[in-house]
Amino acid sequence: RIAVELTIPKGFHVYSPEVGGDYKGVSWQMDPTDCLEMGEPSYPKPEWLVMQFSKEKLPVYEGLLRISREVIVKPALRATDASLFKRFMDRCVDSTSQIHTSGVLRFQACDDHLCYPPQAVHPQWKLQFFAPDRQRSSDDLKRESEQWRPKQ
C-alpha cells in the first residue's frame, strides 16, 4: 500500500470526493504505468458539516487526511517465457532495484467564508523491488516435500 497525507490547517477543510455540485472534492490519480497495477484510492469517512455560508450539510475533511491504495507489481514470470522477466527488469526496475511511480493529488482548501484556488501536488514514490527466487529447490528438498502430500 502507498499513501498520501494532507495536513489541513485549523479553520480550513477540503471536500470529500462525493461532494458533488460545484464543489471540488479531493481526488488522487496515479500516472499510467505498465509496471504496476493500481487499486482504487481508499478515502476515510468524511464528517458532514453544515456550512455557515450556505446552510448545506457537506462532506468534509479537517486535520490530517490520509488516503491509501494498493499497488501490485504486474506479474512478470511465466514458466514458458523467461525473457518476460528480463523485459520487466529492463523496463521497470532501475539500477538501485527500485520501481518509480507518481500521481497527482487535487484539492481545494476552504474556510468558513472563502474557497481558495484549487491546488495540485505531484507525489512520487520509489518502491524497493525484491526479485522472486527463481532458483529451483534441490532434489533432496523436493523429495522431502513429496512425503507431505496427501494421498489421493
Side-chain angles (χ1 to χ4, degrees), residues 27-41:
S27 69
W28 175 24
Q29 288 85 33
M30 293 299 293
D31 296 332
T33 176
D34 292 333
C35 303
L36 302 168
E37 292 181 19
M38 303 292 175
E40 291 299 314

Side-chain angles (χ1 to χ4, degrees):
R1 293 194 77 77
I2 60 173
V4 292
E5 288 185 349
L6 187 60
T7 302
I8 305 161
K10 189 170 178 61
F12 289 86
H13 61 268
V14 297
Y15 295 106
S16 74
E18 66 263 18
V19 69
D22 291 332
Y23 300 101
K24 305 243 187 291
V26 65
S27 69
W28 175 24
Q29 288 85 33
M30 293 299 293
D31 296 332
T33 176
D34 292 333
C35 303
L36 302 168
E37 292 181 19
M38 303 292 175
E40 291 299 314
S42 177
Y43 295 92
K45 185 177 176 181
E47 294 181 53
W48 288 82
L49 297 179
V50 175
M51 299 296 152
Q52 293 177 359
F53 59 87
S54 69
K55 304 300 181 214
E56 288 181 85
K57 195 172 191 181
L58 298 170
V60 302
Y61 298 117
E62 298 177 309
L64 180 66
L65 170 60
R66 187 179 202 313
I67 310 165
S68 65
R69 71 181 343 131
E70 187 175 37
V71 176
I72 299 171
V73 175
K74 288 190 176 180
L77 293 177
R78 195 174 297 144
T80 58
D81 186 3
S83 67
L84 183 62
F85 183 67
K86 181 173 179 357
R87 285 194 304 266
F88 170 81
M89 292 297 290
D90 291 345
R91 190 177 71 238
C92 298
V93 181
D94 71 12
S95 62
T96 63
S97 296
Q98 293 182 334
I99 299 174
H100 298 248
T101 191
S102 57
V104 60
L105 178 70
R106 291 184 175 86
F107 61 92
Q108 184 174 27
C110 303
D111 60 22
D112 287 340
H113 307 289
L114 185 64
C115 281
Y116 298 89
Q119 302 292 310
V121 293
H122 301 271
Q124 298 178 5
W125 293 264
K126 295 178 183 180
L127 310 172
Q128 191 66 42
F129 179 73
F130 297 97
D133 183 359
R134 299 187 70 213
Q135 187 174 15
R136 297 186 64 78
S137 300
S138 70
D139 287 340
D140 291 340
L141 288 175
K142 286 186 215 174
R143 284 190 204 112
E144 189 175 308
S145 68
E146 288 173 2
Q147 294 174 12
W148 297 102
R149 285 193 192 154
K151 295 192 180 190
Q152 305 270 330

